[in-house]
Amino acid sequence: MDRSFARRRLLTTAAVLGGAAVLGGTAGGTAQAAGEPGPAQFPLPHGFQPEGIAIGTTPFAYFGSLANGDIYRASLATGRGRVISKGLGAGHPTVGLKTDPRGRLFLAGGVSGELRTVDVRSGETEKVYAVGGRFVNDVIVTPRSAWFTDSYQAQLYRLALGEHGEPGAVTPLPLTGDWEQGPDFTANGIELTPDASALLVVNTVAGGGGLMRVDPRTGVARAVDLGSSRLPYGDGLLLLGRTLYAVQQQLNQIDVFRLNASGTKGTAIARITDPRFRIPTTVAAWGDRLYLPNARFDVEPTPDTEYDVVAVDQV
């Protein structure tokens, strides 16, 4: 697979109270599961080519297909699932995705340069925004905004949300300050700081790979102090309290950091590895577990390629 595509790959959600306001709240993905946990590994359809994962307030996980943009929903209790939304076809992948409490999915469209929303109940695509992005990569949904990264351009996209979560207009937010845009995939996963005052964005180039703290009002980015830790293959991010999980896809590991409240500094506290990892890309939480789709970027995808999801314990 093309190296730039393999590098690309950056969960649960929280809240930005408007593009020029403070961030706060949470929008699912960290709810506690009731009863016994389900399977710790389960299959996805052959040839699906998963990348993103989203878990909302019920024990179901949603996965997007790089092949054609389909959305697959799986029960975390049984591991069984089905395609609930047909994508727009080849050239319109679903990369990162998130769900809100109102039953809407927000999809990053990768090379299509699109942002899309899907009604979970009907499976219908509600809106398609052609923002001209070169690779719309990942997304985080908050009460008043959905924020998307672009891996090839130094900017974020803010999709405004109305009082009842209805999508509105899209505006770009240029990234300045310490942001360093490389010739390859640069921006990847996106999250919030623990105090919800800013955005955290993976930058796989600056300083050998790390995190940037981005002011949502101005776009000014400042490097997060991670000590000697680096994220050259940083992908999906997940913040639970002050614990940040950062998936390093091609390294088959999750690096775990304890952040300060403002998100300006992180201390490495653990590293999760598992022999079942086959280039996991993104991560979401349910109960005491983390769930990750194996993207298998080390093999050429075919209609018969096997894909699966693995669960590991949280730190």
Side-chain angles (χ1 to χ4, degrees):
M1 178 172 290
D2 180 84
R3 177 177 174 272
S4 66
F5 189 75
R7 276 181 60 87
R8 107 98 214 90
R9 325 314 171 190
L10 288 164
L11 225 206
T12 25
T13 59
V16 180
L17 300 180
V22 181
L23 301 116
T26 196
T30 61
Q32 293 298 303
E36 294 300 316
Q41 186 170 8
F42 55 86
L44 294 172
H46 287 191
F48 188 76
Q49 297 184 48
E51 206 281 352
I53 180 175
I55 300 175
T57 57
T58 57
F60 292 89
Y62 299 87
F63 303 91
S65 170
L66 294 175
N68 55 20
D70 284 359
I71 304 299
Y72 182 87
R73 180 175 63 195
S75 166
L76 299 180
T78 67
R80 294 190 294 269
R82 64 183 180 89
V83 171
I84 63 161
S85 178
K86 297 298 293 182
L88 302 182
H92 299 269
T94 295
V95 192
L97 72 163
K98 295 296 185 295
T99 182
D100 71 6
R102 297 177 175 87
R104 179 179 287 113
L105 283 167
F106 295 79
L107 314 179
V111 294
S112 70
E114 297 167 347
L115 324 177
R116 303 193 298 272
T117 63
V118 167
D119 186 298
V120 169
R121 299 172 185 85
S122 68
E124 295 296 321
T125 298
E126 295 180 322
K127 291 192 176 184
V128 178
Y129 298 85
V131 297
R134 292 185 58 194
F135 196 101
V136 184
N137 191 316
D138 205 0
V139 55
I140 185 170
V141 181
T142 76
R144 299 302 300 274
S145 306
W147 292 93
F148 296 79
T149 59
D150 189 321
S151 291
Y152 277 122
Q153 297 185 107
Q155 62 185 20
L156 305 178
Y157 304 103
R158 177 185 177 249
L159 172 58
L161 303 179
E163 183 178 353
H164 302 291
E166 63 276 12
V170 176
T171 53
L173 180 70
L175 298 172
T176 60
D178 293 340
W179 188 266
E180 182 180 342
Q181 186 67 32
D184 204 338
F185 274 89
T186 301
N188 215 318
I190 185 169
E191 251 293 358
L192 291 179
T193 59
D195 66 2
S197 63
L199 298 161
L200 296 173
V201 180
V202 169
N203 185 305
T204 63
V205 174
L211 288 177
M212 291 286 173
R213 183 183 185 276
V214 177
D215 187 323
R217 298 164 297 182
T218 65
V220 173
R222 297 299 178 209
V224 177
D225 180 4
L226 298 180
S228 61
S229 297
R230 298 292 181 266
L231 300 174
Y233 296 101
D235 201 326
L237 296 179
L238 171 63
L239 182 71
L240 300 177
R242 290 194 184 183
T243 302
L244 181 72
Y245 297 88
V247 182
Q248 294 234 58
Q249 36 133 309
Q250 292 190 37
L251 300 181
N252 286 313
Q253 66 192 39
I254 309 169
D255 287 350
V256 189
F257 300 90
R258 176 73 172 177
L259 300 181
N260 63 357
S262 61
T264 60
K265 183 175 182 178
T267 301
I269 60 173
R271 173 171 290 163
I272 300 172
T273 60
D274 193 288
R276 297 170 300 159
F277 285 170
R278 296 187 293 176
I279 309 189
T281 44
T282 50
V283 57
W286 183 262
D288 295 327
R289 284 177 166 180
L290 306 174
Y291 291 84
L292 303 94
N294 277 318
R296 304 194 66 190
F297 290 142
D298 57 339
V299 301
E300 188 68 27
T302 74
D304 297 321
T305 303
E306 296 179 357
Y307 296 98
D308 63 357
V309 181
V310 297
V312 296
D313 291 337
Q314 295 179 27
V315 172

